[in-house]
Amino acid sequence: MQIAVLKERRPGESRVAATPDTVKKLIALGAQVVVETGAGAGASLSDQDFTTAGATIAPTAAAACANADIVFKIQRPMTADEGTDEIAALKPGSMLMAHLSAMASKPAMQALAQKGVSAFAMELMPRISRAQAMDVLSSQSNLAGYKAVIDAAATFGRAMPMMMTAAGTIAPARVLVFGAGVAGLQAIATAKRMGAVVYATDVRYAAKEQVESLGGKFIVVDEEKMKAAETSGGYAKEMDEDFKRKQAEAVHAEVLKADIVITTALIPGRAAPRLVTAEMVAGMKSGSVIVDLAAEAGGNVEGCVRDQVTVTANGVTIIGHSNLPSRLGRDASALFARNIFNFVQLMIEKGGNLKVNWDDELIKGTLVTKDGQVVHPGLQG
């Protein structure tokens, strides 16, 4: 069995879907690994690092995929309409594993089906205990939450912790985090470690205990609706307009007092909910910083521009990087590579033979295309 690891070609993407560590583990399972030249450059991993681990280097994506049974990528392959037809390099009958953004990329999923590729969307991994080590959303969001605080602190023109000196006392920065999922909780923990006073809000009441365990202060909007706002899969439901209005009123005053605001609200396959209005931004103090982790889905903040840093007329900086994990390419690659290794080893028998249990709930939950068809229930119709 041969596994191909491809170079990422989307702008701003520095990650790679395998590392020398996971290459060694794949070879130990009996697989052959072929890595496209330069695939690890953005993550400071050279071709020599991969060859030392036992991989073979291929000069092009097509050469890497020519005999590959499985292909690893970070992001979904580009189509001809996007400038480079990466799907053309894939071998019919092969399997693809990547963060496909499947729910928001139906034409690309149809193209993969027509190519005869069995595609697995790693972002659709069921949120069950057995799948925790394969959950790319959690591993990458964890880093995004951390990096959001680091970027905010670097932009913020003041110190984060309280400082008591002979010359006087410097008050700690006040940080407000929207959303207490994986990214939000990591942002809260990081900001607290840096000495800030942290407030947080989430539509799920269950997040209150988690926020407070990290030293944050939780803002309660509508307790009853919040208690019913979490899906069985652990995601936040989209709330009705009445709740959104109450939430806006409850957090408006906190936004105006905040030095740093971090928003993390994303709904899979949907546009990001608007949480911070232009009116709120206009009322913030000059020098305040907002980091919008939902920039890729339209943004939680009015005025956020994807992949740009914007300074408003009243001196508020809005950071809209759409791929924060990629700004920590080495560590993000290591975590993603372990996630995908943990998943693929379910399909490899001793001796390196490929054997897929199509009835496994992890396989069924992530499988998007098979036998020339788009098969995932969420993409039907």
Side-chain angles (χ1 to χ4, degrees), residues 275-318:
L275 301 178
V276 179
T277 65
E279 179 186 3
M280 293 180 187
V281 175
M284 294 179 70
K285 295 171 289 188
S286 179
S288 300
V289 179
I290 303 173
V291 182
D292 192 338
L293 289 182
E296 63 179 304
N300 297 141
V301 181
E302 191 171 0
C304 176
V305 180
R306 178 172 178 165
D307 292 322
Q308 290 189 25
V309 177
T310 306
V311 180
T312 67
N314 60 316
V316 177
T317 301
I318 305 174

Side-chain angles (χ1 to χ4, degrees), residues 85-320:
D85 190 355
E86 293 185 285
I87 294 177
L90 302 176
K91 184 182 74 173
S94 63
M95 297 192 297
L96 170 67
M97 298 173 187
H99 187 305
L100 297 177
S101 300
M103 295 302 175
S105 311
K106 293 182 180 180
M109 300 306 102
Q110 189 60 50
L112 287 168
Q114 292 173 353
K115 184 69 175 181
V117 172
S118 294
F120 294 87
M122 295 296 293
E123 76 275 10
L124 299 180
M125 187 68 63
R127 290 214 156 172
I128 59 176
S129 296
R130 188 164 70 93
Q132 286 181 351
M134 310 167 200
D135 188 350
V136 299
L137 291 183
S138 291
S139 72
Q140 303 302 292
S141 294
N142 199 43
L143 288 171
Y146 164 80
K147 185 60 173 170
V149 176
I150 299 302
D151 284 354
T155 303
F156 187 51
R158 290 171 42 204
M160 292 283 278
M162 173 184 284
M163 293 186 180
M164 301 180 71
T165 74
T169 299
I170 297 173
R174 192 179 182 105
V175 176
L176 174 61
V177 179
F178 284 81
V182 175
L185 291 173
Q186 182 57 249
I188 292 165
T190 302
K192 283 297 295 182
R193 285 196 296 267
M194 295 180 73
V197 175
V198 184
Y199 290 79
T201 179
D202 192 287
V203 298
R204 299 164 300 130
Y205 190 76
K208 180 176 185 290
E209 183 178 349
Q210 295 170 304
V211 168
E212 292 175 347
S213 73
L214 295 171
K217 300 176 183 179
F218 191 72
I219 302 168
V220 176
V221 180
D222 184 323
E223 187 172 330
E224 291 305 314
K225 287 186 177 181
M226 292 174 80
K227 287 180 177 179
E230 186 170 355
T231 68
S232 59
Y235 296 98
K237 293 179 182 177
E238 185 166 16
M239 305 301 287
D240 59 31
E241 293 304 317
D242 180 60
F243 181 89
K244 290 179 181 178
R245 178 184 56 79
K246 289 180 180 178
Q247 184 186 46
E249 292 172 355
V251 302
H252 194 152
E254 292 300 333
V255 170
L256 300 187
K257 290 185 284 187
D259 298 303
I260 293 171
V261 173
I262 296 172
T263 66
T264 70
L266 277 169
I267 301 169
R270 303 282 296 278
R274 184 56 48 82
L275 301 178
V276 179
T277 65
E279 179 186 3
M280 293 180 187
V281 175
M284 294 179 70
K285 295 171 289 188
S286 179
S288 300
V289 179
I290 303 173
V291 182
D292 192 338
L293 289 182
E296 63 179 304
N300 297 141
V301 181
E302 191 171 0
C304 176
V305 180
R306 178 172 178 165
D307 292 322
Q308 290 189 25
V309 177
T310 306
V311 180
T312 67
N314 60 316
V316 177
T317 301
I318 305 174
I319 300 174

